Amino acid sequence: MHFRYRARGARPALLSSFAAIGLAASGMATAQDAAEVERLKPPVGTVQFDAAFDAAGTLHLLYTAVGTEGGPIARRQATLLYAQRQGDGWSEPIRVNQTDNHVRPIGSQPKLAIGRDGRIHAAWIVPTMPKWAFGIYYTRMTDAGDAFEPERNLALEDARGYEAGPIVLADADGAVYLFWHEGPFREEETRRVMMRRSSDDGREFAAAVSIAPAGSGACACCKLAAALGPDGTLWVSFRTAEDNVRRDMTLLASGDEGASFDGVGYAEWELESCPTSASSIAPRSSQATWIAWDNKGRSYLAQTDALDRAKELPRVTGKGLQKHPVLAQNDAGQLLVAWTEGKGRRRTLHWQLRGADGSALGEPQSAEKTRPTFRTAVPLARPDGAFAMLY
């Protein structure tokens, strides 16, 4: 793996090449340009989920579901399911995992991607804990489109230290990418960000490779983000753990299908413990790629070519930490960004529309109820440019 890395604040060549594109996308937008945000709910019993619209406007959902009995959610039997949006409801679900102890009710963090010919790809994690068969699991829809193949554990044979979920990406040419980080929990500076790539729609995967510079480490419980731009650019962001105290964010970019990566450090933070943070990337060809992250109790939004000019997201409640920002971008370059505020089981969910230059389009909106940390929220951009919030 060839890797070019620049320290905090520097801008690698590949990242700089997007600067002119970002400037071209920075036209001002007004609140009148903003599309209405539709509010959607997953099926009853859903714990964690991921979703995406295909080019025809069909909404695909991957979710962990638990029953209503069996004590606390964390102790119940969980199943990973797939469904499509039909009218005001959801289709009859298809079971994704074939083995019961391959999904946890809390913590599996499922991710979905739509690949060539509309094939659905799914990935999730089983953290390093007793009772469950830990690993990084992947499966794909069968050729018939009515079932999923038996899941495969694509982690390294001697790997350990799984807590943050993987990301799966797929394109229309048959490439499938899987990203995750692994390594000892107590030696975070030795953890690695890993990638496996398939060129045949997920039938076979190449060996896992480390894509981050040696010594950068990876914060064990901080979620990584990855995205595949329409032009084929791969984007990956994660929080480092250099010397177990330098927990800066790092953004990686590859223009050669993952053969090499440029990287840049940003959002400095020196901290001895993991802050349980997250980031999100919304790529776009012919316009800017945006990234959102949380740092030191606040959430931020920036173009990838202007990480030093980040915009703070507004505080709605003024209470607790502002965390877990997630992004969606439509074809007009507008953004829908969502985040949480508060602590533990009393977090509140908020979202706001933003213009192509990142400026606010109206006031933030909020979910009706507080929510525990493990609950998911997914902002979505429809093919027609409209937005939806699934929560």
Side-chain angles (χ1 to χ4, degrees):
M1 170 62 62
H2 178 57
F3 188 90
R4 300 180 297 275
Y5 184 74
R6 302 294 183 271
R8 303 174 176 181
R11 182 180 296 172
L14 180 57
L15 300 180
S16 296
S17 69
F18 290 88
I21 298 173
L23 290 173
S26 61
M28 296 296 291
T30 66
Q32 287 73 32
D33 297 325
E36 184 68 23
V37 177
E38 181 183 9
R39 301 186 184 202
L40 300 174
K41 299 291 185 181
V44 175
T46 297
V47 180
Q48 294 180 320
F49 58 90
D50 192 26
F53 281 105
D54 63 22
T58 299
L59 180 57
H60 302 263
L61 176 69
L62 180 70
Y63 63 106
T64 53
V66 298
T68 57
E69 300 179 357
I73 290 177
R75 298 180 182 178
R76 300 178 198 172
Q77 180 66 51
T79 306
L80 190 60
L81 301 173
Y82 164 80
Q84 295 180 9
R85 187 73 174 175
Q86 293 183 344
D88 294 331
W90 297 96
S91 67
E92 188 69 22
I94 298 173
R95 179 166 176 151
V96 178
N97 66 299
Q98 307 302 309
T99 304
D100 286 343
N101 70 342
H102 284 179
V103 175
R104 287 194 62 207
I106 298 175
S108 281
Q109 305 165 55
K111 289 294 182 180
L112 169 151
I114 303 172
R116 179 160 55 185
D117 298 327
R119 187 191 293 270
I120 303 300
H121 302 266
W124 67 96
I125 188 176
V126 176
T128 306
M129 294 184 68
K131 182 179 176 181
W132 286 278
F134 77 91
I136 303 294
Y137 287 93
Y138 164 84
T139 186
R140 62 180 193 152
M141 186 168 275
T142 60
D143 292 342
D146 57 359
F148 282 83
E149 297 176 351
E151 61 268 23
R152 290 171 274 164
N153 188 348
L154 295 184
L156 304 178
E157 291 185 2
D158 59 347
R160 51 181 171 154
Y162 297 139
E163 186 168 356
I167 302 292
V168 62
L169 307 174
D171 67 19
D173 296 321
V176 181
Y177 300 88
L178 192 66
F179 298 92
W180 74 95
H181 56 72
E182 59 88 16
F185 286 133
R186 297 183 181 276
E187 300 173 9
E188 291 178 291
E189 74 278 9
T190 68
R191 293 177 63 84
R192 299 178 297 173
V193 179
M194 309 300 297
M195 179 190 77
R196 295 190 71 166
R197 182 183 185 277
S198 169
S199 59
D200 57 5
D201 301 290
R203 189 171 288 106
E204 300 289 342
F205 280 83
V209 294
S210 176
I211 64 171
S216 67
C219 208
C221 55
C222 290
K223 296 179 181 179
L224 61 77
L228 182 60
D231 60 355
T233 301
L234 283 169
W235 299 93
V236 181
S237 71
F238 70 101
R239 187 173 293 282
T240 66
E242 188 174 346
D243 300 323
N244 268 346
V245 294
R246 285 184 53 175
R247 299 181 187 270
D248 305 350
M249 294 297 295
T250 289
L251 177 65
L252 308 177
S254 173
D256 54 12
E257 300 180 332
S260 64
F261 282 86
D262 267 349
V264 61
Y266 66 103
E268 300 177 13
W269 196 355
E270 293 195 0
L271 186 68
E272 293 184 358
S273 59
C274 177
T276 318
S277 66
S279 59
S280 178
I281 306 170
R284 179 144 159 61
S285 62
S286 79
Q287 294 205 13
T289 291
W290 288 84
I291 184 169
W293 69 94
D294 60 79
N295 209 58
K296 302 179 182 179
R298 294 301 305 269
S299 290
Y300 300 88
L301 177 69
Q303 293 178 345
T304 54
D305 63 278
L307 295 170
D308 56 344
R309 298 194 296 276
K311 301 174 184 291
E312 281 189 349
L313 298 183
R315 281 191 181 274
V316 178
T317 65
K319 299 177 181 179
L321 303 175
Q322 192 181 52
K323 296 176 71 67
H324 307 303
V326 281
L327 278 175
Q329 184 172 191
N330 66 13
D331 285 342
Q334 294 173 333
L335 303 165
L336 176 60
V337 57
W339 68 94
T340 63
E341 296 182 8
K343 292 183 178 180
R345 292 183 173 271
R346 299 193 61 81
R347 290 188 182 276
T348 53
L349 173 66
H350 312 279
W351 59 88
Q352 186 177 41
L353 286 165
R354 296 263 170 161
D357 62 345
S359 60
L361 301 178
E363 297 299 317
Q365 303 298 306
S366 302
E368 302 85 356
K369 299 179 180 179
T370 58
R371 53 201 293 111
T373 303
F374 58 79
R375 295 286 185 185
T376 321
V378 179
L380 297 159
R382 295 180 181 274
D384 64 4
F387 286 105
M389 271 296 304
L390 183 62
Y391 65 96

